[in-house]
Amino acid sequence: MFAQEFMRNALVTGTFVGLACGLVGYFVVLRAQVFAGDALSHIAFTGALGAAVIGLDIRTGLFAATILGGVTLGALGERARADDVVIGSFFAWTLGLGVLFLSIFTTKSSAGNGTAGVRVLFGSIFGLSTTDVRVSVVLALVACALLLAIARPLLFASLDTAVAAAQGVPVRALGVGFLAIVGLVAAQATQAVGALLLLGLLAAPAGAAHRLTTSPFRGLLLSAALAVGSVWAGLTLSYAFPTLPPSSMIVAAAVGAYLLAEVLTSGLGRSGAAGRTG
Amino acid sequence: MLNGLDSLLFGTFLGITSRQVTVLLVVATAAVLLVVVAARPLFFSSVDAEVARAGGVPVGLLGFAFLLVLGLSVAETSQITGALLVFALLVTPAATAHQLTSRPGLGIALSVGIALAVTWLGLALAYFSLYPVGFYVTSLSFAVYVVVRLIRVARRRTTAFVAEPA
């Protein structure tokens, strides 16, 4: 399995994308911004196809759209916690725009590029070039570094916004900056699992980590480990059974981990008589 | 034009047979009837679940039935807008109506009116152009929402100005 170049590329990229998704996802879940992650995935689709229509590199459009989208969401929502209706309406519209681009793109280049839409929606981790790998690794590390740099104040601001603001933590700027990082990671994950499934990689490992531990440090580690583990499991499964697409296997592994965590914790809660709620 | 998978995800208005129209019509009528019949208790339990439960409204059953109707509506809507764009017809017009009025009856009428107008206009535009109907429907419904929201913000600002000197 490691002898194949496409498989090595997929594993290296997937590892770093998983790492970034796990770390960022932990805060996404903590801040109850899962819906924002979903919106960013739709913006990713539109950005990628918009770039394709005007003849730019798909990846450029992807990153520009998701980072801008993150900043916009942060600025729109009150106290940088964008509310559901704004995000929902906004992402429905961006997806509509994406459909327009898709239709322009497929009519314009009738020669064989009809799969662009499907590739963006469901990812193409087995089709990465060496340059793709290098870019993804560097960007994923940048995202992780940025997140860890703001992790402490962000944690404070997420847990108790009012007290953090009173202590002089720039709550609003942190919120906007955080969503920009989520945008960066969403663009990365789009390449690995596709725009439709990236939410799974962003939210499921983090959700499992939140069920298993309340300590933020251990939670972050666990979330990252589960995300990377899901990527590895998904890629291995897909390699062993070529009919199974890698993106859905990765997300299936992540969701499986979440379900397992859910069952384990509820089982523990029942057997251990200590009144653990939530 | 979009191919099979894309039209499932993003909607198409081509090739809906008259048989499908009948089915969609029946399902839509059933959904509307269910909502109308349950409207009063549903509204009660949405606004104040505790008091409604105390008043003998079967809150749990209503919630279940409502999700059932929601499922029907989503399936219906995806015929026009596609599975991915359901939000544009299901939520955005209702959110616009909530911005405009807090009265339930008027709100429902407005929500339905906006959704219908957006769909008809979207279909017409798609008919006269090359581009998919999903794009028009989402853009129109989002545009209405944004305009209403901006008007509200502007109005709140002017009233704030009036109120301040006093």
Side-chain angles (χ1 to χ4, degrees), chain B residues 54-92:
Chain B
V57 176
V59 176
L61 182 70
L62 269 177
F64 178 73
F66 179 69
L67 284 179
L68 203 73
V69 175
L70 185 61
L72 286 180
S73 317
V74 168
E76 289 263 299
T77 314
S78 41
Q79 189 80 44
I80 297 294
T81 61
L84 286 183
L85 303 178
V86 166
F87 213 93
L89 275 185
L90 205 60
V91 176
T92 315

mmCIF file of all heavy atoms in Angstrom, chain B residues 54-92:
data_model
loop_
_atom_site.group_PDB
_atom_site.id
_atom_site.type_symbol
_atom_site.label_atom_id
_atom_site.label_comp_id
_atom_site.label_asym_id
_atom_site.label_seq_id
_atom_site.Cartn_x
_atom_site.Cartn_y
_atom_site.Cartn_z
ATOM 1 N N ALA B 54 -48.715 22.006 30.085
ATOM 2 C CA ALA B 54 -49.586 22.132 31.242
ATOM 3 C C ALA B 54 -51.038 22.292 30.810
ATOM 4 O O ALA B 54 -51.960 21.838 31.483
ATOM 5 C CB ALA B 54 -49.155 23.324 32.093
ATOM 6 N N GLY B 55 -51.253 22.933 29.667
ATOM 7 C CA GLY B 55 -52.598 23.139 29.152
ATOM 8 C C GLY B 55 -53.151 21.919 28.430
ATOM 9 O O GLY B 55 -54.207 22.000 27.810
ATOM 10 N N GLY B 56 -52.430 20.789 28.460
ATOM 11 C CA GLY B 56 -52.947 19.563 27.879
ATOM 12 C C GLY B 56 -52.655 19.380 26.402
ATOM 13 O O GLY B 56 -53.233 18.508 25.763
ATOM 14 N N VAL B 57 -51.751 20.188 25.836
ATOM 15 C CA VAL B 57 -51.386 20.003 24.436
ATOM 16 C C VAL B 57 -50.365 18.874 24.336
ATOM 17 O O VAL B 57 -49.396 18.854 25.096
ATOM 18 C CB VAL B 57 -50.782 21.315 23.868
ATOM 19 C CG1 VAL B 57 -50.315 21.112 22.440
ATOM 20 C CG2 VAL B 57 -51.796 22.434 23.942
ATOM 21 N N PRO B 58 -50.575 17.895 23.444
ATOM 22 C CA PRO B 58 -49.611 16.795 23.312
ATOM 23 C C PRO B 58 -48.344 17.266 22.593
ATOM 24 O O PRO B 58 -48.149 17.042 21.403
ATOM 25 C CB PRO B 58 -50.377 15.747 22.492
ATOM 26 C CG PRO B 58 -51.374 16.537 21.715
ATOM 27 C CD PRO B 58 -51.718 17.740 22.542
ATOM 28 N N VAL B 59 -47.453 17.904 23.362
ATOM 29 C CA VAL B 59 -46.293 18.569 22.777
ATOM 30 C C VAL B 59 -45.384 17.594 22.037
ATOM 31 O O VAL B 59 -44.944 17.844 20.915
ATOM 32 C CB VAL B 59 -45.500 19.314 23.879
ATOM 33 C CG1 VAL B 59 -44.236 19.921 23.313
ATOM 34 C CG2 VAL B 59 -46.373 20.383 24.506
ATOM 35 N N GLY B 60 -45.129 16.435 22.675
ATOM 36 C CA GLY B 60 -44.234 15.462 22.057
ATOM 37 C C GLY B 60 -44.778 14.952 20.734
ATOM 38 O O GLY B 60 -44.070 14.937 19.719
ATOM 39 N N LEU B 61 -46.050 14.599 20.732
ATOM 40 C CA LEU B 61 -46.682 14.088 19.513
ATOM 41 C C LEU B 61 -46.655 15.148 18.411
ATOM 42 O O LEU B 61 -46.351 14.866 17.250
ATOM 43 C CB LEU B 61 -48.128 13.683 19.829
ATOM 44 C CG LEU B 61 -48.910 13.080 18.657
ATOM 45 C CD1 LEU B 61 -48.357 11.698 18.332
ATOM 46 C CD2 LEU B 61 -50.392 12.981 18.987
ATOM 47 N N LEU B 62 -46.951 16.389 18.805
ATOM 48 C CA LEU B 62 -46.951 17.480 17.826
ATOM 49 C C LEU B 62 -45.571 17.665 17.210
ATOM 50 O O LEU B 62 -45.431 17.841 15.992
ATOM 51 C CB LEU B 62 -47.366 18.785 18.509
ATOM 52 C CG LEU B 62 -48.842 19.103 18.492
ATOM 53 C CD1 LEU B 62 -49.106 20.371 19.256
ATOM 54 C CD2 LEU B 62 -49.329 19.241 17.054
ATOM 55 N N GLY B 63 -44.546 17.612 18.073
ATOM 56 C CA GLY B 63 -43.184 17.763 17.572
ATOM 57 C C GLY B 63 -42.861 16.689 16.555
ATOM 58 O O GLY B 63 -42.295 16.960 15.497
ATOM 59 N N PHE B 64 -43.278 15.462 16.876
ATOM 60 C CA PHE B 64 -43.034 14.351 15.964
ATOM 61 C C PHE B 64 -43.767 14.567 14.640
ATOM 62 O O PHE B 64 -43.183 14.455 13.557
ATOM 63 C CB PHE B 64 -43.497 13.055 16.633
ATOM 64 C CG PHE B 64 -43.352 11.838 15.774
ATOM 65 C CD1 PHE B 64 -42.106 11.298 15.524
ATOM 66 C CD2 PHE B 64 -44.470 11.259 15.188
ATOM 67 C CE1 PHE B 64 -41.963 10.194 14.724
ATOM 68 C CE2 PHE B 64 -44.349 10.136 14.383
ATOM 69 C CZ PHE B 64 -43.083 9.614 14.155
ATOM 70 N N ALA B 65 -45.045 14.926 14.732
ATOM 71 C CA ALA B 65 -45.836 15.129 13.518
ATOM 72 C C ALA B 65 -45.253 16.270 12.685
ATOM 73 O O ALA B 65 -45.201 16.204 11.450
ATOM 74 C CB ALA B 65 -47.290 15.443 13.886
ATOM 75 N N PHE B 66 -44.780 17.307 13.381
ATOM 76 C CA PHE B 66 -44.220 18.433 12.650
ATOM 77 C C PHE B 66 -42.981 18.019 11.869
ATOM 78 O O PHE B 66 -42.800 18.402 10.713
ATOM 79 C CB PHE B 66 -43.885 19.578 13.600
ATOM 80 C CG PHE B 66 -43.281 20.750 12.892
ATOM 81 C CD1 PHE B 66 -44.052 21.514 12.032
ATOM 82 C CD2 PHE B 66 -41.947 21.060 13.050
ATOM 83 C CE1 PHE B 66 -43.501 22.572 11.343
ATOM 84 C CE2 PHE B 66 -41.383 22.116 12.363
ATOM 85 C CZ PHE B 66 -42.166 22.879 11.514
ATOM 86 N N LEU B 67 -42.132 17.207 12.494
ATOM 87 C CA LEU B 67 -40.924 16.751 11.786
ATOM 88 C C LEU B 67 -41.308 15.898 10.584
ATOM 89 O O LEU B 67 -40.633 15.913 9.548
ATOM 90 C CB LEU B 67 -40.002 15.982 12.729
ATOM 91 C CG LEU B 67 -39.225 16.875 13.676
ATOM 92 C CD1 LEU B 67 -38.340 16.037 14.596
ATOM 93 C CD2 LEU B 67 -38.356 17.857 12.913
ATOM 94 N N LEU B 68 -42.390 15.148 10.724
ATOM 95 C CA LEU B 68 -42.884 14.341 9.610
ATOM 96 C C LEU B 68 -43.267 15.243 8.431
ATOM 97 O O LEU B 68 -42.865 15.019 7.282
ATOM 98 C CB LEU B 68 -44.103 13.541 10.072
ATOM 99 C CG LEU B 68 -44.441 12.291 9.285
ATOM 100 C CD1 LEU B 68 -43.428 11.211 9.592
ATOM 101 C CD2 LEU B 68 -45.840 11.819 9.643
ATOM 102 N N VAL B 69 -44.037 16.281 8.733
ATOM 103 C CA VAL B 69 -44.457 17.214 7.694
ATOM 104 C C VAL B 69 -43.245 17.919 7.098
ATOM 105 O O VAL B 69 -43.154 18.145 5.887
ATOM 106 C CB VAL B 69 -45.454 18.247 8.268
ATOM 107 C CG1 VAL B 69 -45.789 19.293 7.231
ATOM 108 C CG2 VAL B 69 -46.709 17.547 8.727
ATOM 109 N N LEU B 70 -42.275 18.247 7.966
ATOM 110 C CA LEU B 70 -41.052 18.884 7.495
ATOM 111 C C LEU B 70 -40.344 17.978 6.492
ATOM 112 O O LEU B 70 -39.885 18.427 5.436
ATOM 113 C CB LEU B 70 -40.145 19.182 8.688
ATOM 114 C CG LEU B 70 -38.869 19.961 8.412
ATOM 115 C CD1 LEU B 70 -39.207 21.329 7.855
ATOM 116 C CD2 LEU B 70 -38.037 20.099 9.666
ATOM 117 N N GLY B 71 -40.296 16.678 6.823
ATOM 118 C CA GLY B 71 -39.679 15.727 5.911
ATOM 119 C C GLY B 71 -40.380 15.708 4.563
ATOM 120 O O GLY B 71 -39.727 15.737 3.507
ATOM 121 N N LEU B 72 -41.709 15.685 4.600
ATOM 122 C CA LEU B 72 -42.487 15.718 3.351
ATOM 123 C C LEU B 72 -42.127 16.964 2.541
ATOM 124 O O LEU B 72 -41.884 16.897 1.332
ATOM 125 C CB LEU B 72 -43.985 15.748 3.662
ATOM 126 C CG LEU B 72 -44.635 14.455 4.147
ATOM 127 C CD1 LEU B 72 -46.116 14.683 4.404
ATOM 128 C CD2 LEU B 72 -44.449 13.367 3.109
ATOM 129 N N SER B 73 -42.082 18.111 3.224
ATOM 130 C CA SER B 73 -41.820 19.360 2.519
ATOM 131 C C SER B 73 -40.433 19.361 1.897
ATOM 132 O O SER B 73 -40.242 19.852 0.781
ATOM 133 C CB SER B 73 -41.941 20.546 3.475
ATOM 134 O OG SER B 73 -43.057 20.400 4.288
ATOM 135 N N VAL B 74 -39.452 18.813 2.640
ATOM 136 C CA VAL B 74 -38.091 18.780 2.099
ATOM 137 C C VAL B 74 -38.057 17.938 0.834
ATOM 138 O O VAL B 74 -37.469 18.334 -0.181
ATOM 139 C CB VAL B 74 -37.103 18.230 3.151
ATOM 140 C CG1 VAL B 74 -35.766 17.919 2.521
ATOM 141 C CG2 VAL B 74 -36.925 19.228 4.283
ATOM 142 N N ALA B 75 -38.722 16.777 0.879
ATOM 143 C CA ALA B 75 -38.733 15.914 -0.296
ATOM 144 C C ALA B 75 -39.387 16.628 -1.481
ATOM 145 O O ALA B 75 -38.917 16.544 -2.618
ATOM 146 C CB ALA B 75 -39.481 14.628 0.020
ATOM 147 N N GLU B 76 -40.455 17.354 -1.199
ATOM 148 C CA GLU B 76 -41.157 18.101 -2.241
ATOM 149 C C GLU B 76 -40.243 19.170 -2.839
ATOM 150 O O GLU B 76 -40.116 19.309 -4.045
ATOM 151 C CB GLU B 76 -42.363 18.816 -1.627
ATOM 152 C CG GLU B 76 -43.471 17.913 -1.232
ATOM 153 C CD GLU B 76 -44.521 17.879 -2.309
ATOM 154 O OE1 GLU B 76 -45.084 18.926 -2.596
ATOM 155 O OE2 GLU B 76 -44.754 16.803 -2.866
ATOM 156 N N THR B 77 -39.626 19.935 -1.906
ATOM 157 C CA THR B 77 -38.835 21.069 -2.346
ATOM 158 C C THR B 77 -37.650 20.633 -3.186
ATOM 159 O O THR B 77 -37.277 21.311 -4.144
ATOM 160 C CB THR B 77 -38.336 21.864 -1.127
ATOM 161 O OG1 THR B 77 -39.420 22.038 -0.239
ATOM 162 C CG2 THR B 77 -37.810 23.202 -1.547
ATOM 163 N N SER B 78 -37.068 19.473 -2.824
ATOM 164 C CA SER B 78 -35.858 19.089 -3.554
ATOM 165 C C SER B 78 -36.177 18.774 -5.014
ATOM 166 O O SER B 78 -35.283 18.762 -5.845
ATOM 167 C CB SER B 78 -35.146 17.934 -2.871
ATOM 168 O OG SER B 78 -36.051 16.998 -2.406
ATOM 169 N N GLN B 79 -37.450 18.541 -5.319
ATOM 170 C CA GLN B 79 -37.812 18.352 -6.724
ATOM 171 C C GLN B 79 -37.494 19.612 -7.552
ATOM 172 O O GLN B 79 -37.048 19.524 -8.685
ATOM 173 C CB GLN B 79 -39.305 18.056 -6.820
ATOM 174 C CG GLN B 79 -39.757 17.638 -8.197
ATOM 175 C CD GLN B 79 -39.444 16.173 -8.429
ATOM 176 O OE1 GLN B 79 -39.660 15.335 -7.578
ATOM 177 N NE2 GLN B 79 -38.911 15.866 -9.599
ATOM 178 N N ILE B 80 -37.742 20.767 -6.960
ATOM 179 C CA ILE B 80 -37.528 22.020 -7.684
ATOM 180 C C ILE B 80 -36.112 22.549 -7.494
ATOM 181 O O ILE B 80 -35.402 22.859 -8.439
ATOM 182 C CB ILE B 80 -38.538 23.097 -7.199
ATOM 183 C CG1 ILE B 80 -39.964 22.662 -7.502
ATOM 184 C CG2 ILE B 80 -38.256 24.444 -7.865
ATOM 185 C CD1 ILE B 80 -40.290 22.572 -8.964
ATOM 186 N N THR B 81 -35.692 22.658 -6.226
ATOM 187 C CA THR B 81 -34.409 23.308 -5.966
ATOM 188 C C THR B 81 -33.260 22.323 -5.865
ATOM 189 O O THR B 81 -32.105 22.735 -5.814
ATOM 190 C CB THR B 81 -34.458 24.084 -4.641
ATOM 191 O OG1 THR B 81 -34.712 23.168 -3.605
ATOM 192 C CG2 THR B 81 -35.538 25.137 -4.655
ATOM 193 N N GLY B 82 -33.561 21.030 -5.807
ATOM 194 C CA GLY B 82 -32.498 20.062 -5.590
ATOM 195 C C GLY B 82 -32.247 19.884 -4.109
ATOM 196 O O GLY B 82 -32.582 20.744 -3.306
ATOM 197 N N ALA B 83 -31.635 18.751 -3.771
ATOM 198 C CA ALA B 83 -31.466 18.398 -2.368
ATOM 199 C C ALA B 83 -30.633 19.424 -1.612
ATOM 200 O O ALA B 83 -30.854 19.663 -0.431
ATOM 201 C CB ALA B 83 -30.808 17.017 -2.258
ATOM 202 N N LEU B 84 -29.687 20.045 -2.275
ATOM 203 C CA LEU B 84 -28.766 20.927 -1.563
ATOM 204 C C LEU B 84 -29.328 22.318 -1.331
ATOM 205 O O LEU B 84 -28.829 23.068 -0.519
ATOM 206 C CB LEU B 84 -27.445 21.048 -2.328
ATOM 207 C CG LEU B 84 -26.536 19.841 -2.252
ATOM 208 C CD1 LEU B 84 -25.243 20.113 -2.984
ATOM 209 C CD2 LEU B 84 -26.241 19.504 -0.807
ATOM 210 N N LEU B 85 -30.362 22.698 -2.083
ATOM 211 C CA LEU B 85 -30.816 24.086 -2.022
ATOM 212 C C LEU B 85 -32.170 24.243 -1.336
ATOM 213 O O LEU B 85 -32.785 25.295 -1.411
ATOM 214 C CB LEU B 85 -30.883 24.675 -3.441
ATOM 215 C CG LEU B 85 -29.570 24.622 -4.213
ATOM 216 C CD1 LEU B 85 -29.743 25.169 -5.603
ATOM 217 C CD2 LEU B 85 -28.490 25.394 -3.499
ATOM 218 N N VAL B 86 -32.608 23.186 -0.662
ATOM 219 C CA VAL B 86 -33.918 23.201 -0.008
ATOM 220 C C VAL B 86 -34.080 24.407 0.919
ATOM 221 O O VAL B 86 -35.138 25.023 0.998
ATOM 222 C CB VAL B 86 -34.100 21.891 0.783
ATOM 223 C CG1 VAL B 86 -35.258 21.981 1.739
ATOM 224 C CG2 VAL B 86 -34.295 20.734 -0.175
ATOM 225 N N PHE B 87 -32.995 24.741 1.583
ATOM 226 C CA PHE B 87 -32.987 25.842 2.542
ATOM 227 C C PHE B 87 -33.570 27.128 1.966
ATOM 228 O O PHE B 87 -34.257 27.881 2.651
ATOM 229 C CB PHE B 87 -31.541 26.088 2.965
ATOM 230 C CG PHE B 87 -31.400 26.556 4.367
ATOM 231 C CD1 PHE B 87 -31.188 25.648 5.385
ATOM 232 C CD2 PHE B 87 -31.467 27.893 4.669
ATOM 233 C CE1 PHE B 87 -31.046 26.074 6.682
ATOM 234 C CE2 PHE B 87 -31.330 28.320 5.975
ATOM 235 C CZ PHE B 87 -31.117 27.419 6.978
ATOM 236 N N ALA B 88 -33.301 27.374 0.686
ATOM 237 C CA ALA B 88 -33.697 28.640 0.076
ATOM 238 C C ALA B 88 -35.207 28.818 0.074
ATOM 239 O O ALA B 88 -35.702 29.936 0.182
ATOM 240 C CB ALA B 88 -33.159 28.715 -1.342
ATOM 241 N N LEU B 89 -35.948 27.726 -0.052
ATOM 242 C CA LEU B 89 -37.413 27.839 -0.062
ATOM 243 C C LEU B 89 -38.019 27.532 1.295
ATOM 244 O O LEU B 89 -39.104 27.999 1.622
ATOM 245 C CB LEU B 89 -38.010 26.873 -1.093
ATOM 246 C CG LEU B 89 -38.087 27.376 -2.519
ATOM 247 C CD1 LEU B 89 -38.803 26.370 -3.386
ATOM 248 C CD2 LEU B 89 -38.785 28.709 -2.588
ATOM 249 N N LEU B 90 -37.301 26.756 2.091
ATOM 250 C CA LEU B 90 -37.886 26.299 3.345
ATOM 251 C C LEU B 90 -37.667 27.305 4.464
ATOM 252 O O LEU B 90 -38.560 27.509 5.298
ATOM 253 C CB LEU B 90 -37.250 24.962 3.726
ATOM 254 C CG LEU B 90 -38.071 24.048 4.612
ATOM 255 C CD1 LEU B 90 -39.358 23.694 3.924
ATOM 256 C CD2 LEU B 90 -37.281 22.782 4.899
ATOM 257 N N VAL B 91 -36.511 27.916 4.505
ATOM 258 C CA VAL B 91 -36.165 28.748 5.655
ATOM 259 C C VAL B 91 -36.100 30.235 5.323
ATOM 260 O O VAL B 91 -36.620 31.070 6.070
ATOM 261 C CB VAL B 91 -34.825 28.287 6.272
ATOM 262 C CG1 VAL B 91 -34.418 29.205 7.406
ATOM 263 C CG2 VAL B 91 -34.941 26.863 6.766
ATOM 264 N N THR B 92 -35.481 30.579 4.205
ATOM 265 C CA THR B 92 -35.256 31.997 3.930
ATOM 266 C C THR B 92 -36.556 32.804 3.843
ATOM 267 O O THR B 92 -36.645 33.870 4.456
ATOM 268 C CB THR B 92 -34.398 32.161 2.671
ATOM 269 O OG1 THR B 92 -33.320 31.231 2.735
ATOM 270 C CG2 THR B 92 -33.831 33.552 2.578
#
